[in-house]
Structures are given as C-alpha cells and as structure tokens.
Amino acid sequence: MIMKKYFLFLLILSACSGETKEFVLSPVDFLAKLKSTADPILLDVRTPKEIAIDRLENSQSIVFDGSFSNKLEGLEHKPLFVYCASGKRSAKAAAILREKGYENVFELEGGLNQWKKEGLVVESTPQN
C-alpha cells in the first residue's frame, strides 16, 4: 500500500514538473512559438523604469508586484507569452496566471537579458 502511494506521488510529481518545463522556452523557441501562435498576448511584467529603456515589440505591460493577481481582471484567456529581465518575476507571474486558469502560459527562459545575449531584436523605447 505504501509503495502504491509512493508511486502515485512520483507520477503526479513528474507530470507536474514536466508540464511546467515545456512552457519555459529558450529565446529562439519563445520567438518561434510566439510567431506561430494565433492571436497571442505578449506580456512584459517588468517595472515602468525597465520598460522605459526597451521592450519586445507589441508587448503589453502588467507590472509584477504584490497586486499582480488583482491586475489580471479583463486579461483575455489567450496564449500568453510572459517575460521580465531575468526570468524570475515572469516565472512567478506565470505560476499565478496558471492558478487563475490560464492554460497556455509560456515563459522566456533567462528573460530579456538572455534574449539580448542571443542577439534577438528589442524595441528601444523613445525617450521624451
């Protein structure tokens, strides 16, 4: 009986961890998936100060902070592509989005920093 419970626990654990991993994509895979997805939402969860420097083209911003969960009202249930500077905030944001019932949430591994290291295009934000 104990062995059955242990096996079931391992099965559930591996299923959950595998599910999340397939939604964390390298910059090249993130871009390819974004381009091949019909009507996606590209979500930048960085601070306004970070966004003032640069961003990914066609992204919309919802700052990840203590009230992030409350800011999701009205966000459509479409495939979501989430990024931040390093991937830490976007991972937390993605977890909250999944808890809220969003099913297709893709995270940019290494965030915008890794995106830039790989030479992918960012959009400079015009300074006033």
Side-chain angles (χ1 to χ4, degrees):
M1 183 68 164
I2 292 174
M3 192 62 147
K4 259 188 187 178
K5 287 181 181 180
Y6 180 72
F7 177 74
L8 183 59
F9 172 75
L10 288 178
L11 186 63
I12 291 169
L13 184 63
S14 67
C16 291
S17 64
E19 179 181 314
T20 302
K21 281 187 179 184
E22 69 187 44
F23 291 103
V24 179
L25 305 172
S26 71
V28 171
D29 291 339
F30 186 88
L31 179 58
K33 183 74 172 171
L34 178 64
K35 286 183 174 184
S36 69
T37 301
D39 206 20
I41 296 173
L42 180 57
L43 190 59
D44 187 335
V45 296
R46 298 176 304 149
T47 66
K49 198 176 210 179
E50 291 170 306
I51 293 168
I53 298 167
D54 57 15
R55 65 189 190 104
L56 295 182
E57 186 177 15
N58 298 319
S59 61
Q60 65 183 63
S61 173
I62 298 179
V63 175
F64 183 79
D65 57 16
S67 63
F68 178 76
S69 186
N70 298 331
K71 298 174 186 178
L72 300 177
E73 190 169 317
L75 184 64
E76 294 180 75
H77 282 259
K78 296 181 177 181
L80 289 166
F81 291 78
V82 185
Y83 73 95
C84 66
S86 68
K88 291 177 183 164
R89 286 174 286 181
S90 57
K92 292 175 185 176
I96 291 170
L97 288 161
R98 290 183 188 109
E99 287 173 14
K100 292 271 191 188
Y102 292 87
E103 293 179 9
N104 295 306
V105 181
F106 301 94
E107 303 168 46
L108 176 57
E109 184 175 46
L112 198 57
N113 295 338
Q114 187 62 38
W115 181 277
K116 291 180 206 178
K117 281 181 186 174
E118 294 191 21
L120 298 170
V121 178
V122 294
E123 183 178 81
S124 294
T125 307
Q127 302 297 313
N128 294 332

